Amino acid sequence: MTNRWLANTGGTRGPEYAERFRRLAAEGRDLHGEARFCHDLLAEPARVLDAGCGTGRVAIELARQGHEVVGVDLDASMLAEAEAAAPGLTWVLDDLADLDPLQLGGRGSFDLVVAAGNVMIFLTPGSEAEVVRALAAMLRPGGILVAGFSLAGGPDGVGATITAADYEDACAAAGLVRRTRYAGWDREPWAPGGDYLVAVHAVPPGRGA
């Protein structure tokens, strides 16, 4: 199976995405809702994995807030933009569906993993539960997995590829416990039937995922 992101973009959209966000920043748009959301979950500087980091927007802001951040993405054009914007951070080229933990510091080495920007709907078809399991395995006991994605489909003609129930089942199978969920990064109340999900799950204290 081909990864949906690469199938839809050809792995060449990095410059386009970077320019888009530069333009939005110049217009005064708030681009850091995801990073702010994650930062607020952490009581102190932490080690964070940005899974599907793209051009590094979330990772760079979390690093600015004092966290040790690693970004991983399978799109080399996106990572090139991230590296250009923040050469001092760690950027890893890898597929979340076949993740190599050693490249990232080993299993159980992160306090928080975030998959923002519709990462979950652009995975290789059928790999969603395995990706959740792999991301959960990167967390320390008590560590947090945060994911935000559309339930109504995404750009480039990608349809709705995972439901809220599917995601919840994948998290439960990975040993995670739900802490809360919202309808957006500004903590809009969640209601069944919504078109966007921000879900927060955690590894139970004292137990690895």
Side-chain angles (χ1 to χ4, degrees), residues 58-153:
V58 176
I60 292 168
E61 177 62 15
L62 284 168
R64 190 190 68 78
Q65 293 174 346
H67 303 288
E68 178 189 348
V69 185
V70 176
V72 58
D73 204 285
L74 86 169
D75 186 329
S77 76
M78 293 289 215
L79 278 186
E81 297 294 331
E83 289 172 344
L89 298 185
T90 300
W91 306 105
V92 176
L93 181 66
D94 204 357
D95 187 347
L96 299 182
D98 189 27
L99 200 59
D100 179 2
L102 294 180
Q103 288 197 84
L104 306 173
R107 291 184 174 87
S109 61
F110 290 92
D111 301 293
L112 184 144
V113 175
V114 56
N118 278 327
V119 167
M120 291 304 302
I121 72 171
F122 279 108
L123 298 172
T124 301
S127 72
E128 293 84 2
E130 176 59 24
V131 167
V132 171
R133 187 204 63 77
L135 297 182
M138 300 306 300
L139 290 166
R140 295 174 175 139
I144 301 167
L145 174 63
V146 180
F149 54 93
S150 172
L151 300 170

